[in-house]
């Protein structure tokens, strides 16, 4: 077990042995959810790009990364943080993403009202991000760490000055969703691999 | 003034006519010279010139001149001669005067400068005055960036003008710092003496954010009352709308704009850095430089965007900006607008949107349905995803209003359209589908239908259609019903059939028909039972033993039974009484009654739960008919047509009864009753089959008794017989065969027998087995068509004796030819001919012998003298004639002449064995055997007295000595052959016996085995009669025992000894089953017969 994972030893030692199976199951369950959502996030991104028109989706097109209020991409130094801290950041991002995804869905409802599958995926993504965030929060609570709901309160519906910016912003939000879900999956994976079988 | 005008004219000419260069130079030189002379002269005289007047508002004129005074500090007095008090003291060279009336006015200018003075006179006319408006001023110049629209305001200062006139404004829009003209528009207006602020707007194709736009205006007074020269004012001071200051990031314009598909549109990008590429979708576009680093692209004929719009992207080295454009169409005029109601509570208006706009979401078309009489409207709220069926709006029916004037307005960001519809809603009723359909019985022929219909139809009548279905029939009834409000409707349906299964369904419309509703669900119902409408169709037959009477009846059809038949009552009524005989339960449809002594009327009554039917009656008596003939009939198309002559005695009806004539059981399949006035009927039945013989009996009803009138046998369709007639050979002779056959059973005949076809030809079983009999086209086959079907025998005459014949017989009907049956028969041998053939040669031989004997006897002396003299006279022998030329004069010395000798007998006195002489070596026997003085005694004595034609037989003899090898008998003409017969002594013994006298054609001793081989060779070498040498091979079969079999069994042959020359039966048949004919029949007639097989 790595040094970062070693930081989990303390809460584990503090918790009673009867809670361990439940915690492991919860971590495993959350990890599975994160892995599933990673796959969904990829599908969402593909679906999203497909409905934005060219040159979206064309090779060589790299839209600008517009700033998203209340959420940034996982920092490069994220992996250097302790696992609880990383999970806390994950939970905060996952708490922010539903609002952003809802905003993207609303914009897409105007832009692509005849793309029900995309709208449905966006709606489900928001709900699933919220569920995954809650699950991570539960894991954190079980590990003896605090809540991150303050960060979610700071998130606001993304606004863009124009349709193109909204498309780019939506693309960025979908990308962020995938990145954070994937990151969460990775962080939980470390817990899963470090936990006793 | 004149000079001025003079100056103007050439310039106009230059402007207008474009003279040639040489002329122009010549004129220009002339004018310059003339001008200089006038100027010099003018200054020399101190006069004024070039008086010019202009006006800017037609109220006053501003005049000025040029002259010597202009350059000195003098004063001037200007007087208008035709005006009182119109002199002006001036210290300048210009002056203002009120506008003068049209016409010439004399102007006198008195100038004084220093001690000198001069007076100049001018003629001033309005035509020489120029109207030059003041430079206009722009009040405001603003922009609406989202729409890229420029707004311009200015004041026309109309109060300065004395009267109405038209002012033409010219507005120019310049773009970018390079001041490129992008718009020049002329704007006409009329001034009315008041100051008016004018507004003008213009939508730029280029977003205003990307480039500075400038504007300037000028005007032109187009006064009809001013006859002078009119000129444009100067351009106003230029106003500008600067482009947006460079933003810290890229920005593309216009943002989210909705444009008409097919139009041209310009996109631009505000940037601080150099824009490298721009693209719309995936198509790159050339850049148009604007102010600063801003660029634009122009897209022509833009196509309809996809749902999310068309992306336009500008890319710099390190950034990307973009915008989305939505290209589509304005809403099409709503088509097929139709308004109707299902329930008179709500009006449903539907329409077809026409051409798709290509715009979705908030840019999609909004529809408003407006009713003008009530000024009420409803708006269309689309539910995504979009479907064609969603183009409908609901409008509540208003109380006390029947006529509605609807206007459907369509609008989207690109435009609007509308469609109208005026309807009387009571005439546009398409009711809902009726529900809850129920059926209730009234009686056996009437029911009540009830159903529910949603809607408030109080103010109209409903037209409902009832569909009544029963087996194989459909009926529709229309009924008008007063409408109600959400209630059940009732209707009675009459004239139904009792005990019948009906299926009902219903649909409704308004009485003023517009549309039917959908059909309601079907409802099945069986009406109540009623008594049968008539009695059963009955017939009676006597039983086979004649002691009982069988009553038959047919089950009543459902439309006559009126219910389920439970039983039948059979009774018999006579004059005295009515006797109830039996009650027969359904489904039995016959009753057998004993025949009484007296006849009666049989009555049959069918009963169902509602009651009994009327009785059906039939008399037991049957009137005999002695004059009855059986006729034949053939059906047409599975039907039998029977016709008869009308018999006035038949008062009731006719009955046709039929049965299968080939069945052995009681003859009754079915019957049919025909009215008494009929003379024909068509009988058809599913039970009829082709090729089956049926018997039809026509009965006539007379005084309640039936009489058989006709008996007819017939077929629905005739077929060919399935079997061949069974025929046999009754008798056979040498030249005829008698054939006898039997009738074909009716079941296998399958039609009326029309005759027989009999084929026969010569032939044997083995040879014909392979190729069969070919009656058609074969000349060997003889055919006899026997049309007399009563004929059962046939004698075939003129046949050849002892010959195998192939006989075939087949029957035929109108349905075709039946199968064949064949037989092989061999005729008997012709014994008389054989006898004659034997007796005639014997008789001839005897006669010849007798005659010869008689002749020989009577001429024995002469014969002896001639042929057998006691001492032969050598003189008579030519062979012994000597040549006289040699022996003449000396009788002792003579030469023997070798003339041919024709001896009748040569007696060989001495023979000795000599080597075989070659054919080519001729040796005179005389030279070897001197006639006289020879001491050699003959060892053998051979007399050749008869020389038949050369017949050579080689008889192999395995026991002969080494010199001969074979016994050889040569019959040869002595005259023509001197071939010596050199043979061994043993052989000569044989020859001495053989060669004497008559040689019969029988060689003894002979090996029987060898004889067969020799006989075969002789067949080719001999032509005469040859006795039957090998009698052991004869198969003696009595010719009187003919054996006749059919072709499938064996060949009939008659035994007879055969000649070795006969070809008959010499080669035994390889087929061991065949009769032993190898030693069999021999016929003298065959001897003379030309056999086809030879």
């Amino acid at each position: 077990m790595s040094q970062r994972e070693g930081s989990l030893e303390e809460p584990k030692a503090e918790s009673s042995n009867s809670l361990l199976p439940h915690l492991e199951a919860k971590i495993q369950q959350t990890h599975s959810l994160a892995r599933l959502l990673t796959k969904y996030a990829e599908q969402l991104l593909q679906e999203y790009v497909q409905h934005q028109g060219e040159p979206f989706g064309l090779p060589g097109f790299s839209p600008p990364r517009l700033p998203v209020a209340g959420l940034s991409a996982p920092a490069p130094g994220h992996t250097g943080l302790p696992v609880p801290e990383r999970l806390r950041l994950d939970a905060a991002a996952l708490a922010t993403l539903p609002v952003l995804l809802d905003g993207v869905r609303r914009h897409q409802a105007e832009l692509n009202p005849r793309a029900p599958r995309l709208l449905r995926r966006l709606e489900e993504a928001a709900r699933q991000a919220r569920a995954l965030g809650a699950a991570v929060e539960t894991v954190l609570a079980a590990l003896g760490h605090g809540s991150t709901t303050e960060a979610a309160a700071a998130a606001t519906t993304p606004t863009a000055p124009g349709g193109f910016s909204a498309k780019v912003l939506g693309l960025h939000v979908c990308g962020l969703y995938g990145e954070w879900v994937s990151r969460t999956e990775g962080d939980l994976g470390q817990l899963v691999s470090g936990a006793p079988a | 003034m004149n000079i001025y005008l003079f100056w103007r004219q050439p310039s106009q000419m230059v402007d207008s006519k474009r003279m040639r260069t040489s002329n122009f130079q010549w004129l220009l030189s002339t004018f310059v010279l003339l001008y200089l002379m006038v100027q010099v002269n003018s200054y020399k005289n101190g006069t004024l010139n070039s008086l010019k007047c202009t006006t800017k508002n037609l109220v006053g004129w501003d005049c000025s001149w040029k002259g010597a005074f202009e350059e000195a500090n003098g004063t001037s007095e200007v007087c208008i001669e035709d005006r009182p008090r119109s002199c002006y003291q001036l210290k300048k060279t210009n002056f203002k005067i009120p506008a003068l009336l049209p016409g010439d006015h004399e102007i006198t200018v008195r100038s004084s400068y220093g001690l000198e003075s001069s007076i100049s006179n001018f003629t001033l006319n309005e035509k020489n005055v120029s109207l030059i408006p003041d430079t206009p001023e722009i009040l405001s110049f603003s922009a609406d960036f989202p729409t890229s629209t420029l707004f311009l305001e200015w004041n026309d200062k109309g109060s300065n003008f004395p009267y109405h006139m038209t002012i033409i404004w010219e507005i120019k829009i310049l773009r970018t710092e390079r001041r490129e003209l992008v718009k020049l528009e002329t704007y006409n207006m009329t001034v009315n003496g008041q100051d008016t602020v004018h507004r003008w707007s213009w939508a730029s194709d280029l977003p205003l954010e990307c480039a500075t736009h400038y504007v300037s205006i000028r005007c032109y007074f187009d006064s009809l009352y001013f006859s002078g020269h009119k000129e444009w004012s100067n351009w106003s001071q230029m106003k500008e709308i600067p482009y947006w200051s460079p933003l810290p990031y890229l920005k593309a314009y216009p943002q989210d704009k909705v444009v008409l598909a097919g139009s041209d549109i310009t996109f631009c990008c505000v940037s601080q850095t150099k824009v490298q590429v721009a693209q719309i979708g995936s198509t790159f576009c050339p850049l148009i430089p604007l102010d600063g680093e801003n660029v634009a692209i122009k897209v022509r004929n833009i196509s309809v965007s996809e749902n999310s719009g068309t992306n336009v992207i500008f890319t710099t080295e390190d950034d990307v900006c973009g915008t989305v454009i939505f290209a589509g169409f304005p809403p099409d005029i709503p088509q097929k607008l139709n308004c109707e109601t299902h329930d008179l509570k709500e009006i449903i208006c539907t329409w077809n949107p026409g051409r798709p706009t290509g715009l979705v979401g908030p840019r999609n078309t909004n529809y408003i349905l407006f009713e003008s009489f009530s000024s009420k409207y409803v708006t269309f709220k689309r539910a995504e995803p979009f479907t064609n069926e969603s183009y409908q709006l609901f409008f509540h029916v208003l109380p006390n209003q029947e006529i509605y004037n609807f206007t459907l307005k369509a609008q989207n960001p690109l435009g609007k359209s509308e469609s109208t519809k005026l309807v009387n809603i009571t005439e546009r009723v398409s009711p809902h589908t009726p529900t809850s359909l129920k059926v209730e019985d009234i009686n056996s022929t009437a029911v009540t239908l009830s159903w529910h219909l949603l809607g408030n139809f109080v103010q109209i009548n409903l037209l409902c259609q009832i569909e009544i279905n029963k087996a194989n029939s459909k009926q529709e009834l229309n009924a008008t019903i007063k409408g109600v409000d959400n209630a059940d409707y009732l209707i009675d349906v009459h004239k139904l059939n009792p005990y019948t299964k009906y299926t009902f369904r219903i649909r409704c419309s308004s009485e003023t028909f517009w549309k039917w509703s959908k059909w309601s669900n079907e409802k099945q119902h069986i009406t109540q039972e009623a008594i049968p409408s008539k009695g059963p169709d009955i017939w009676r037959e006597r039983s086979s033993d004649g002691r009982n009477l069988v009553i038959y009846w047919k089950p009543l059809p459902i439309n006559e039974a009126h219910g389920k038949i439970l039983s039948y009552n059979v009774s018999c009524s006579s004059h005295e009484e009515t006797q109830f005989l039996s009650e027969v339960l359904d489904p039995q449809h016959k009753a057998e009654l004993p025949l009484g002594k007296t006849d009666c009327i049989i009555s049959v009554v069918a009963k169902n739960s509602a009651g009994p039917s009327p009785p059906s009656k039939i008399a037991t008596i049957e009137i005999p008919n002695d004059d009855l003939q059986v006729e034949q009939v053939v059906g047409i198309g599975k039907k039998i047509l029977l016709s008869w002559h009308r018999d006035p005695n038949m008062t009731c009806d006719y009955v046709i009864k039929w049965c299968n004539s080939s069945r052995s059981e009681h003859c009754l399949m079915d019957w049919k009753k025909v009215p008494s006035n009929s003379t024909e009927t068509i009988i058809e039945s599913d039970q009829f089959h082709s090729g089956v013989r049926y018997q039809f009996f026509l009965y006539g009803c007379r005084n309640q008794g039936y009489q058989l009138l006709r008996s007819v046998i017939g077929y629905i369709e005739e077929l060919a017989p399935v079997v061949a007639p069974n025929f046999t050979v009754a008798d056979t002779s040498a030249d005829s065969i008698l054939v006898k056959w039997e009738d074909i059973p009716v079941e296998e005949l399958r039609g009326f027998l029309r005759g027989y076809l009999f084929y026969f030809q010569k032939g044997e079983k083995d040879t014909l087995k392979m190729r069969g009999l070919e009656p058609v086209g074969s000349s060997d086959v003889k055919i006899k068509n026997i049309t007399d079907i009563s004929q059962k025998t046939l004698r075939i005459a003129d046949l050849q004796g002892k010959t195998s014949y192939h006989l075939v017989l087949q029957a035929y009907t109108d349905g075709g030819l039946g199968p064949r049956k064949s037989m092989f028969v061999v005729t008997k041998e012709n014994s008389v001919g054989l006898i004659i053939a034997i007796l005639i040669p014997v008789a001839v031989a005897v006669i010849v012998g007798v005659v010869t004997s008689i002749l020989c006897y009577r001429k024995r002396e002469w014969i002896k003298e001639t042929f057998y003299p006691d001492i032969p006279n050598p003189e008579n022998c030519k062979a012994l004639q000597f040549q006289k030329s040699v022996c003449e004069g000396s009788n002792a010395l003579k030469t023997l002449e070798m003339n041919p000798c024709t001896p009748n007998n040569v007696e060989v006195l001495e023979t000795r064995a000599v080597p075989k002489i070659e054919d080519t070596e001729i040796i005179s026997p005389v030279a070897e055997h001197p006639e006289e003085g020879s001491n050699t005694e003959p060892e053998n004595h051979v007399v050749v007295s008869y020389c038949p034609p050369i017949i050579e037989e080689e008889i192999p003899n395995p026991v002969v000595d080494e010199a001969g090898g074979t016994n050889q008998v040569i019959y040869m003409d002595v005259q023509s052959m001197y071939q010596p017969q050199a043979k061994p002594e043993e052989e000569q013994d044989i020859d001495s016996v053989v060669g004497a006298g008559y040689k019969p054609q029988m060689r003894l001793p002979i090996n029987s085995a060898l004889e067969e081989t020799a006989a075969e060779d002789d067949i080719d070498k001999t032509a005469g009669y040859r006795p039957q040498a090998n009698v052991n091979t004869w198969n003696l079969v009595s010719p009187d025992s003919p054996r006749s079999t059919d072709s499938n069994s064996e060949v009939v042959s008659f035994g007879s000894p055969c000649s070795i020359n006969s070809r008959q039966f010499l080669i035994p048949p390889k087929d061991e089953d065949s009769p032993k004919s190898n030693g069999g029949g021999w016929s003298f007639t065959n001897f003379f017969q030309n056999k086809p097989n030879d």
Side-chain angles (χ1 to χ4, degrees), chain B residues 920-1067:
Chain B
T920 56
E921 188 178 0
I922 301 176
I923 300 172
S924 174
V926 177
E928 293 180 2
H929 306 285
E931 189 180 6
E932 293 180 352
S934 177
N935 298 323
T936 305
E937 292 182 3
E939 296 179 2
N940 202 350
H941 186 87
V942 176
V943 177
V944 178
S945 61
Y946 173 68
C947 293
I950 296 173
I951 298 173
E952 183 175 353
E953 292 181 349
E954 291 184 3
I955 304 171
N957 190 358
V959 297
V960 296
D961 59 4
E962 62 278 9
T966 58
N967 283 337
Q968 195 172 43
V969 178
I970 299 173
Y971 304 94
M972 59 185 302
D973 187 353
V974 177
Q975 183 177 1
S976 59
M977 293 292 292
Y978 275 98
Q979 184 173 0
Q981 303 297 316
K983 293 181 180 178
E985 293 180 353
E986 296 84 357
E987 189 179 356
Q988 289 176 358
D989 294 337
I990 299 172
D991 289 344
S992 62
V993 178
V994 172
Y998 168 69
K999 287 173 58 87
Q1001 296 173 341
M1002 178 183 293
R1003 299 184 304 279
L1004 294 174
I1006 194 165
N1007 189 313
S1008 61
L1010 297 174
E1011 184 62 26
E1012 291 182 5
T1013 306
E1016 291 177 4
D1017 295 335
D1018 290 343
I1019 292 170
D1020 298 330
K1021 297 176 181 177
T1022 60
Y1025 167 70
R1026 308 280 295 181
Q1028 291 80 33
N1030 191 354
V1031 296
N1032 294 330
T1033 59
W1034 293 354
N1035 186 3
L1036 297 178
V1037 181
S1038 171
D1040 295 328
S1041 60
R1043 290 181 295 179
S1044 60
T1045 59
D1046 58 24
S1047 59
N1048 296 325
S1049 59
E1050 56 185 347
V1051 176
V1052 177
S1053 63
F1054 299 88
S1056 174
C1058 290
S1059 168
I1060 58 174
N1061 286 341
S1062 172
R1063 301 295 173 93
Q1064 297 292 330
F1065 311 118
L1066 288 181
I1067 300 174

Side-chain angles (χ1 to χ4, degrees), chain B residues 830-877:
Chain B
N830 192 346
S831 57
V832 175
L834 177 63
I835 294 170
I836 292 173
I838 295 173
L839 290 182
I840 288 176
V842 171
V844 170
V846 170
I847 292 171
V848 169
V850 170
V851 170
T852 303
S853 301
I854 294 173
L855 287 177
C856 290
Y857 178 75
R858 296 186 63 177
K859 297 293 184 178
R860 59 186 178 278
E861 294 298 329
W862 175 80
I863 291 172
K864 181 181 178 184
E865 185 67 24
T866 303
F867 298 104
Y868 302 103
D870 293 334
I871 300 172
N873 185 7
E875 295 291 339
N876 295 334
C877 179

Side-chain angles (χ1 to χ4, degrees), chain B residues 535-828:
Chain B
D537 186 3
I538 61 175
W539 185 245
R540 82 283 181 276
E541 286 283 323
R542 292 180 185 272
S543 61
S544 55
D545 56 4
R547 289 184 293 185
N548 291 335
L549 187 68
V550 183
I551 314 296
Y552 298 93
W553 59 89
K554 296 178 182 178
L556 284 170
I558 189 67
N559 59 341
E560 293 176 350
H562 293 175
K564 178 175 174 53
I565 299 299
L566 302 175
S567 63
Y568 301 89
N569 286 346
V570 183
S571 59
C572 180
S573 61
S574 60
H575 296 293
E576 294 81 13
E577 58 177 356
T578 298
Q579 181 183 3
F580 176 76
L581 297 176
S582 66
E583 181 178 7
V584 179
L585 298 179
D586 191 79
Q588 185 176 351
H589 298 116
K590 72 175 183 179
E592 189 164 354
L593 311 173
L595 277 173
K597 295 179 180 178
T598 59
D599 295 323
C600 66
I601 303 297
I602 301 294
S603 176
V604 178
V605 172
K607 290 171 61 180
N608 63 12
S609 62
S613 69
S616 295
K617 297 180 179 180
I618 189 169
T620 59
I621 186 172
E622 182 163 343
I623 304 168
N625 186 355
D626 298 331
D627 185 17
L628 192 63
Q629 292 181 346
V630 178
E631 304 167 26
Q632 292 183 350
V633 68
V634 177
I636 302 172
K638 303 290 183 183
K639 298 175 182 176
I640 292 284
L641 174 62
L642 291 180
S643 60
W644 58 86
H645 296 293
R646 191 167 186 275
D647 188 348
N649 296 326
M650 302 303 155
T651 56
C652 321
D653 49 17
Y654 292 98
V655 173
I656 297 98
K657 178 190 86 172
W658 63 89
C659 61
N660 186 339
S661 66
S662 61
R663 298 270 176 87
S664 59
E665 62 262 28
H666 190 64
C667 179
L668 179 62
M669 281 178 60
D670 202 353
W671 70 91
K672 178 180 180 181
K673 288 187 177 178
V674 182
S676 59
N677 56 357
S678 300
T679 59
E680 65 177 18
T681 186
I682 294 175
I683 299 173
E684 55 182 324
S685 171
D686 295 336
Q687 299 175 347
F688 286 154
H689 299 289
S690 299
V692 177
R693 178 176 291 185
Y694 298 98
Q695 196 162 5
F696 300 88
F697 301 95
L698 174 66
Y699 291 90
C701 178
R702 174 188 296 175
N703 296 329
Q704 296 299 317
Y706 284 96
Q707 181 182 25
L708 179 61
L709 302 179
R710 293 178 63 189
S711 177
V712 180
I713 57 174
Y715 292 87
I716 295 300
E717 182 186 13
E718 286 187 274
L719 301 177
V722 293
V723 298
N726 185 19
F727 78 103
T728 57
V729 175
D731 185 26
T732 305
S733 64
D735 60 349
S736 67
I737 298 172
L738 178 62
V739 177
K740 183 174 69 177
W741 61 86
E742 301 171 355
D743 285 335
I744 299 175
V746 171
E747 297 84 1
E748 296 170 330
L749 195 58
R750 304 202 304 172
F752 293 117
L753 180 65
R754 300 303 181 194
Y756 300 92
L757 287 179
F758 189 86
Y759 312 96
F760 65 97
Q761 74 173 137
K762 287 190 291 186
E764 298 174 5
K765 180 181 179 182
D766 295 336
T767 56
L768 292 177
K769 186 184 290 183
M770 298 303 292
R771 57 190 175 98
L773 191 64
E774 298 175 356
V776 179
S778 175
S779 59
D780 296 338
V781 179
K782 295 178 181 177
I783 306 173
K784 288 184 179 298
N785 185 6
I786 304 162
T787 56
D788 182 8
I789 60 174
S790 62
Q791 180 178 342
K792 293 293 179 288
T793 60
L794 175 68
R795 176 173 293 280
I796 313 165
D798 299 331
L799 303 180
Q800 294 177 357
K802 203 60 181 176
T803 302
S804 175
Y805 282 93
H806 185 200
L807 311 180
V808 172
L809 182 64
Q810 65 180 152
Y812 64 91
T813 67
D814 285 343
L817 292 168
R820 300 171 184 172
K821 183 166 185 179
S822 63
M823 179 184 293
F824 288 88
V825 178
V826 178
T827 53
K828 290 182 178 178

Side-chain angles (χ1 to χ4, degrees), chain B residues 165-178:
Chain B
M165 64 177 174
T166 299
I167 301 179
I168 301 172
W169 297 92
E170 203 167 58
I171 306 166
K172 64 178 180 182
I173 302 292
L174 308 177
R175 180 181 289 166
T176 73
E177 294 169 349
R178 297 185 294 274

